Coordinates of all heavy atoms in Angstrom, one line a residue:
F259 N 0.8 -1.2 0.0 CA 0.0 0.0 0.0 C 0.8 1.3 0.0 O 0.3 2.3 -0.4 CB -0.9 0.0 1.2 CG -2.1 -1.0 1.1 CD1 -2.0 -2.2 1.7 CD2 -3.2 -0.7 0.3 CE1 -3.0 -3.1 1.6 CE2 -4.2 -1.6 0.2 CZ -4.1 -2.8 0.8
D260 N 2.1 1.2 0.5 CA 2.9 2.4 0.5 C 3.4 2.6 -0.9 O 4.0 1.7 -1.5 CB 4.1 2.2 1.4 CG 4.9 3.5 1.6 OD1 5.0 4.2 0.7 OD2 5.4 3.7 2.8
P261 N 3.2 3.8 -1.5 CA 3.6 4.0 -2.9 C 5.1 3.9 -3.2 O 5.5 3.8 -4.4 CB 3.1 5.4 -3.2 CG 2.9 6.1 -1.9 CD 2.5 5.0 -1.0
K262 N 5.9 3.9 -2.1 CA 7.4 3.8 -2.4 C 7.7 2.3 -2.6 O 8.8 2.0 -3.1 CB 8.2 4.3 -1.2 CG 8.3 3.5 0.0 CD 9.2 4.1 1.0 CE 9.3 3.2 2.3 NZ 10.2 3.8 3.3
H263 N 6.8 1.4 -2.3 CA 7.0 0.0 -2.6 C 6.2 -0.5 -3.8 O 5.4 0.3 -4.4 CB 6.6 -0.9 -1.4 CG 7.4 -0.5 -0.2 ND1 8.7 -0.8 0.0 CD2 7.0 0.0 1.0 CE1 9.2 -0.4 1.2 NE2 8.1 0.1 1.8
A264 N 6.5 -1.7 -4.3 CA 5.8 -2.1 -5.6 C 5.4 -3.6 -5.4 O 5.6 -4.4 -6.4 CB 6.8 -1.9 -6.8
G265 N 4.9 -3.9 -4.3 CA 4.5 -5.3 -4.0 C 3.4 -5.8 -4.9 O 3.3 -7.1 -5.1
N266 N 2.6 -5.0 -5.5 CA 1.5 -5.4 -6.3 C 1.9 -5.6 -7.8 O 1.1 -6.0 -8.6 CB 0.3 -4.4 -6.2 CG -0.3 -4.5 -4.8 OD1 -0.6 -5.5 -4.3 ND2 -0.5 -3.3 -4.2
E267 N 3.1 -5.2 -8.2 CA 3.5 -5.2 -9.6 C 4.1 -6.6 -9.9 O 5.3 -6.8 -9.9 CB 4.5 -4.1 -9.8 CG 3.8 -2.7 -9.6 CD 4.8 -1.6 -9.8 OE1 5.9 -1.8 -10.3 OE2 4.5 -0.4 -9.5
L268 N 3.2 -7.5 -10.1 CA 3.6 -8.9 -10.3 C 3.2 -9.5 -11.7 O 3.3 -10.7 -11.9 CB 3.0 -9.8 -9.2 CG 3.3 -9.5 -7.8 CD1 2.5 -10.4 -6.8 CD2 4.8 -9.5 -7.5
G269 N 2.8 -8.6 -12.6 CA 2.4 -9.0 -13.9 C 3.5 -9.7 -14.7 O 4.7 -9.4 -14.5
I270 N 3.1 -10.5 -15.6 CA 4.0 -11.1 -16.6 C 3.3 -11.2 -18.0 O 2.1 -11.5 -18.0 CB 4.4 -12.5 -16.2 CG1 5.5 -13.1 -17.1 CG2 3.2 -13.5 -16.0 CD1 6.1 -14.4 -16.6
T271 N 4.0 -10.9 -19.0 CA 3.4 -10.8 -20.3 C 3.5 -12.2 -21.0 O 4.3 -13.0 -20.6 CB 4.0 -9.7 -21.2 OG1 5.4 -10.1 -21.5 CG2 4.0 -8.4 -20.5
V272 N 2.7 -12.3 -22.1 CA 2.8 -13.6 -22.9 C 4.2 -13.7 -23.5 O 4.8 -14.8 -23.5 CB 1.8 -13.5 -24.0 CG1 2.0 -14.7 -25.0 CG2 0.4 -13.6 -23.5
E273 N 4.8 -12.5 -23.9 CA 6.1 -12.5 -24.5 C 7.2 -13.0 -23.5 O 8.1 -13.8 -23.8 CB 6.5 -11.2 -25.0 CG 5.7 -10.7 -26.2 CD 4.2 -10.4 -25.9 OE1 3.9 -10.0 -24.7 OE2 3.4 -10.4 -26.8
Q274 N 7.1 -12.5 -22.2 CA 8.0 -12.9 -21.2 C 7.9 -14.4 -20.9 O 8.9 -15.1 -20.9 CB 7.7 -12.1 -19.9 CG 8.2 -10.7 -19.9 CD 7.8 -10.1 -18.5 OE1 6.6 -9.7 -18.3 NE2 8.8 -9.9 -17.7
A275 N 6.7 -14.9 -20.7 CA 6.4 -16.3 -20.3 C 6.9 -17.2 -21.4 O 7.4 -18.3 -21.2 CB 5.0 -16.5 -20.0
S276 N 6.7 -16.8 -22.7 CA 7.0 -17.7 -23.8 C 8.5 -17.9 -24.0 O 9.0 -18.8 -24.6 CB 6.4 -17.1 -25.1 OG 7.0 -15.9 -25.4
R277 N 9.3 -17.0 -23.3 CA 10.8 -17.1 -23.4 C 11.3 -18.0 -22.3 O 12.5 -18.3 -22.3 CB 11.4 -15.7 -23.4 CG 11.1 -14.9 -24.6 CD 12.1 -13.7 -24.7 NE 11.9 -12.8 -23.5 CZ 11.1 -11.7 -23.6 NH1 10.4 -11.4 -24.7 NH2 11.0 -10.9 -22.5
I278 N 10.5 -18.4 -21.3 CA 11.0 -19.2 -20.2 C 10.9 -20.7 -20.5 O 9.8 -21.2 -20.6 CB 10.1 -18.9 -18.9 CG1 10.3 -17.4 -18.5 CG2 10.5 -19.8 -17.7 CD1 9.4 -16.9 -17.4
T279 N 12.0 -21.3 -20.8 CA 12.1 -22.6 -21.3 C 12.3 -23.7 -20.2 O 12.4 -24.9 -20.5 CB 13.1 -22.8 -22.4 OG1 14.4 -22.4 -21.9 CG2 12.8 -21.9 -23.6
V280 N 12.5 -23.2 -18.9 CA 12.8 -24.2 -17.9 C 11.6 -25.1 -17.7 O 10.4 -24.7 -17.7 CB 13.0 -23.4 -16.5 CG1 13.0 -24.4 -15.3 CG2 14.2 -22.5 -16.6
P281 N 11.8 -26.5 -17.7 CA 10.7 -27.4 -17.5 C 9.9 -27.0 -16.3 O 10.5 -26.8 -15.2 CB 11.4 -28.7 -17.3 CG 12.7 -28.6 -18.0 CD 13.1 -27.1 -17.8
S282 N 8.6 -27.0 -16.4 CA 7.7 -26.5 -15.3 C 6.5 -27.4 -15.1 O 5.9 -27.9 -16.1 CB 7.3 -25.1 -15.6 OG 8.3 -24.2 -15.8
L283 N 6.2 -27.6 -13.9 CA 4.9 -28.3 -13.5 C 4.0 -27.3 -12.8 O 4.4 -26.7 -11.7 CB 5.2 -29.5 -12.6 CG 3.9 -30.2 -12.0 CD1 3.1 -30.8 -13.2 CD2 4.3 -31.2 -11.0
L284 N 2.9 -27.0 -13.4 CA 1.9 -26.1 -12.7 C 0.9 -27.0 -11.9 O 0.4 -27.9 -12.4 CB 1.1 -25.3 -13.7 CG 1.8 -24.1 -14.3 CD1 3.1 -24.4 -15.0 CD2 0.9 -23.3 -15.3
V285 N 0.8 -26.6 -10.6 CA -0.1 -27.4 -9.7 C -1.2 -26.4 -9.2 O -0.8 -25.3 -8.7 CB 0.6 -28.0 -8.6 CG1 -0.3 -28.7 -7.6 CG2 1.7 -29.0 -9.1
H286 N -2.4 -26.7 -9.3 CA -3.5 -25.7 -9.0 C -4.7 -26.4 -8.4 O -5.0 -27.5 -8.8 CB -3.9 -25.0 -10.2 CG -4.1 -23.5 -10.0 ND1 -3.1 -22.6 -10.3 CD2 -5.1 -22.8 -9.5 CE1 -3.5 -21.4 -10.0 NE2 -4.7 -21.5 -9.5
G287 N -5.3 -25.8 -7.4 CA -6.5 -26.2 -6.8 C -7.7 -25.7 -7.7 O -7.7 -24.5 -8.0
R288 N -8.6 -26.6 -8.0 CA -9.7 -26.2 -8.8 C -10.6 -25.1 -8.2 O -11.1 -24.3 -9.0 CB -10.6 -27.5 -9.1 CG -11.7 -27.3 -10.2 CD -12.5 -28.5 -10.3 NE -13.3 -28.8 -9.1 CZ -13.9 -30.0 -8.9 NH1 -13.9 -30.9 -9.8 NH2 -14.6 -30.2 -7.8
E289 N -10.7 -25.1 -6.9 CA -11.5 -24.1 -6.3 C -10.7 -22.9 -5.7 O -11.1 -22.2 -4.8 CB -12.3 -24.7 -5.1 CG -13.5 -25.6 -5.6 CD -13.0 -26.9 -6.2 OE1 -12.0 -27.5 -5.7 OE2 -13.7 -27.4 -7.0
D290 N -9.5 -22.7 -6.2 CA -8.6 -21.6 -5.8 C -9.4 -20.2 -5.9 O -9.7 -19.8 -7.0 CB -7.3 -21.6 -6.6 CG -6.3 -20.7 -5.9 OD1 -6.6 -19.7 -5.3 OD2 -5.1 -21.0 -6.1
K291 N -9.5 -19.5 -4.8 CA -10.2 -18.2 -4.8 C -9.3 -17.0 -4.8 O -9.7 -15.9 -4.9 CB -11.2 -18.1 -3.6 CG -12.3 -19.1 -3.6 CD -13.2 -18.9 -2.4 CE -14.3 -19.8 -2.3 NZ -15.2 -19.7 -1.1
V292 N -8.0 -17.3 -4.7 CA -7.0 -16.3 -4.7 C -6.4 -16.1 -6.1 O -6.3 -15.0 -6.6 CB -5.9 -16.6 -3.7 CG1 -4.8 -15.5 -3.7 CG2 -6.4 -16.7 -2.3
V293 N -5.9 -17.2 -6.7 CA -5.4 -17.2 -8.1 C -6.3 -18.2 -8.8 O -6.1 -19.4 -8.6 CB -3.9 -17.6 -8.2 CG1 -3.5 -17.6 -9.6 CG2 -3.1 -16.6 -7.3
P294 N -7.2 -17.8 -9.7 CA -8.1 -18.7 -10.3 C -7.4 -19.7 -11.2 O -6.3 -19.5 -11.7 CB -9.0 -17.8 -11.2 CG -8.8 -16.4 -10.6 CD -7.4 -16.4 -10.1
L295 N -8.0 -20.9 -11.4 CA -7.5 -21.9 -12.2 C -7.2 -21.5 -13.6 O -6.2 -21.9 -14.2 CB -8.5 -23.1 -12.2 CG -8.1 -24.3 -13.1 CD1 -6.8 -24.9 -12.8 CD2 -9.2 -25.4 -13.0
D296 N -8.0 -20.6 -14.2 CA -7.8 -20.2 -15.5 C -6.5 -19.5 -15.8 O -6.0 -19.5 -16.9 CB -9.0 -19.3 -16.1 CG -9.2 -18.0 -15.3 OD1 -8.3 -17.7 -14.5 OD2 -10.2 -17.4 -15.6
V297 N -5.8 -19.0 -14.7 CA -4.5 -18.4 -14.8 C -3.5 -19.5 -15.2 O -2.7 -19.4 -16.1 CB -4.1 -17.6 -13.6 CG1 -2.6 -17.2 -13.7 CG2 -5.0 -16.4 -13.3
A298 N -3.6 -20.6 -14.5 CA -2.7 -21.8 -14.7 C -3.0 -22.4 -16.1 O -2.1 -22.8 -16.8 CB -2.9 -22.8 -13.7
Q299 N -4.3 -22.4 -16.5 CA -4.6 -22.9 -17.8 C -4.0 -22.1 -18.9 O -3.6 -22.6 -20.0 CB -6.1 -23.1 -17.9 CG -6.7 -24.1 -17.0 CD -8.2 -24.1 -16.9 OE1 -8.8 -23.1 -17.0 NE2 -8.8 -25.3 -16.7
Q300 N -4.0 -20.8 -18.7 CA -3.4 -19.8 -19.7 C -1.9 -20.0 -19.7 O -1.3 -20.1 -20.8 CB -3.8 -18.4 -19.3 CG -3.0 -17.3 -20.1 CD -3.6 -17.2 -21.6 OE1 -4.4 -18.0 -22.0 NE2 -3.2 -16.2 -22.3
M301 N -1.3 -20.2 -18.5 CA 0.2 -20.3 -18.5 C 0.7 -21.6 -19.1 O 1.7 -21.6 -19.7 CB 0.6 -20.2 -17.0 CG 0.6 -18.8 -16.4 SD 1.8 -17.7 -17.2 CE 3.3 -18.2 -16.4
V302 N -0.1 -22.7 -19.0 CA 0.4 -23.9 -19.5 C 0.3 -23.9 -21.0 O 1.0 -24.7 -21.7 CB -0.4 -25.1 -19.0 CG1 -1.8 -25.3 -19.7 CG2 0.3 -26.4 -19.1
R303 N -0.5 -23.0 -21.6 CA -0.5 -22.8 -23.1 C 0.7 -21.9 -23.5 O 1.0 -22.0 -24.7 CB -1.8 -22.2 -23.5 CG -3.0 -23.1 -23.4 CD -4.2 -22.6 -24.1 NE -4.8 -21.4 -23.4 CZ -5.8 -21.6 -22.5 NH1 -6.3 -22.7 -22.2 NH2 -6.3 -20.5 -21.9

């Protein structure tokens, strides 16, 4: 909440993600209310 910090700036673009080639396993709870499942479904694509 303090403007001198940037804790909420956590975005990642399609271009950034598409360049990350490290093998990855996404694990998600279907009923996640904090980070919805569709975020993981988008990332796995």
